[in-house]
């Protein structure tokens, strides 16, 4: 057996000033693969640049450091998948439930091609692949969807839909970043400039637009 500490309220906010958690300790790892090292390398350029800017401008209060690992809706949405594959104590579940769930979703993502399945396998949830695969999964096995809803519960589903909506919003905001960035770079206040740069990074990573298709 092994124990992986993960947190639903991720990424974790700094508790103290001048101290920043990274990797597993920051809670940016995927709740599906628990890929702490992979999550760190994916964010390495972003985090190192943000830390450099924070140190240069003495922006080391915990509220300022908290902007470095801000809310990313695609990470929060991934918890729904983890929840769907988890069995609570004394919960009566069809032994084939998880296998059926994986088979339906991966069959549809595979049919949609590498542009959908490759980001997901690398812990990057994007709105196009997410909505497309879920719609196709529902069409392929409509009788299974009520079972999934009953398994995860209405409150969890409602919360997940909120995160999915935010992925779509972050995707739109990311596409506006090229217009906003010149104004941000010309800001005189270093703190305001720092916060807006972190905000734009959150839009990019929170919508999965950091993924590079090769």
């Amino acid at each position: 057996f092994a124990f992986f500490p993960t947190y639903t309220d991720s990424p974790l906010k700094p508790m103290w000033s001048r101290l920043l958690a990274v990797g597993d300790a920051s809670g940016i790892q995927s709740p599906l693969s628990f890929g702490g090292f992979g999550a760190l390398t994916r964010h390495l350029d972003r985090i190192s640049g943000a830390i450099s800017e924070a140190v240069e401008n003495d922006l080391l209060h915990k509220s300022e450091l908290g902007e470095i690992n801000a809310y990313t809706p695609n990470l929060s949405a991934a918890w729904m998948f983890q929840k769907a594959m988890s069995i609570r104590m004394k919960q009566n579940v069809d032994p084939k439930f998880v296998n059926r769930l994986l088979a339906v979703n991966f069959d549809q993502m595979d049919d949609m091609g590498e542009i959908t399945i490759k980001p997901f396998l690398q812990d990057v949830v994007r709105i196009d692949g997410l909505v497309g695969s879920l719609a196709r999964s529902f069409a392929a096995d409509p009788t299974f969807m009520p079972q999934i809803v009953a398994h995860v519960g209405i409150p969890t589903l409602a919360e997940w839909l909120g995160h999915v909506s935010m992925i779509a919003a972050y995707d739109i905001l990311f596409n506006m970043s090229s217009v906003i960035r010149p104004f941000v770079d010309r800001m005189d206040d270093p703190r305001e400039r720092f916060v807006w740069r972190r905000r734009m990074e959150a839009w990019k990573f929170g919508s999965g637009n950091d993924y590079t298709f090769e």
Side-chain angles (χ1 to χ4, degrees):
F1 294 92
F3 175 74
F4 293 94
T6 58
Y7 305 89
T8 53
D9 190 20
S10 298
L12 301 180
K13 292 293 184 183
M15 298 295 294
W16 301 277
S17 297
R18 310 183 74 86
L19 183 64
L20 178 69
V22 295
D24 287 350
S26 67
I28 61 173
Q29 76 273 29
S30 167
L32 291 174
S33 68
F34 308 106
F37 180 75
L40 176 60
T41 54
R42 174 189 169 202
H43 293 271
L44 191 58
D45 183 62
R46 176 185 68 80
I47 292 175
S48 59
I51 291 174
S52 177
E53 186 176 354
V55 172
E56 288 173 3
N57 294 285
D58 195 29
L59 300 171
L60 303 175
H61 188 269
K62 63 181 182 180
S63 63
E64 295 158 345
L65 294 178
E67 298 292 337
I68 295 177
N69 288 323
Y71 164 71
T72 48
N74 55 359
L75 176 62
S76 297
W79 275 99
M80 170 68 172
F81 306 126
Q82 192 270 352
K83 183 84 171 179
M85 293 187 291
S86 299
I87 309 299
R88 296 185 295 274
M89 295 292 291
K90 298 182 180 180
Q91 186 179 17
N92 186 21
V93 179
D94 183 344
K96 297 181 180 179
F97 178 85
V98 174
N99 287 342
R100 184 180 176 185
L101 176 67
L102 291 171
V104 170
N105 281 279
F106 275 96
D107 279 348
Q108 299 311 311
M109 286 192 289
D110 187 47
D111 288 342
M112 293 172 70
E114 291 188 352
I115 196 171
T116 297
I117 198 167
K118 283 187 70 175
F120 185 82
L121 291 176
Q122 297 178 48
D123 293 328
V124 180
V125 178
R126 295 167 53 91
I127 191 65
D128 50 358
L130 177 61
V131 173
S133 61
L134 289 177
R136 291 169 64 106
S137 295
F138 178 78
D141 195 354
T143 61
F144 190 39
M145 296 303 113
Q147 296 181 45
I148 297 175
V149 174
H151 180 74
V152 301
I154 297 295
T156 299
L157 180 62
E159 182 181 358
W160 177 78
L161 289 173
H163 294 309
V164 172
S165 299
M166 289 304 295
I167 298 175
Y170 272 41
D171 188 60
I172 295 170
L173 290 167
F174 168 74
N175 288 306
M176 297 170 56
S177 295
S178 59
V179 177
I180 299 172
R181 186 174 299 280
F183 296 97
V184 173
D185 291 340
R186 289 197 296 268
M187 288 179 175
D188 295 327
D189 185 347
R191 186 184 187 281
E192 188 176 5
R193 186 171 59 243
F194 174 84
V195 169
W196 269 98
R197 284 176 175 170
R198 305 293 80 77
R199 196 169 289 164
M200 289 189 292
E201 288 171 351
W203 297 342
K204 179 180 181 180
F205 282 78
S207 61
N209 279 294
D210 61 297
Y211 187 86
T212 302
F213 293 94
E214 298 179 354

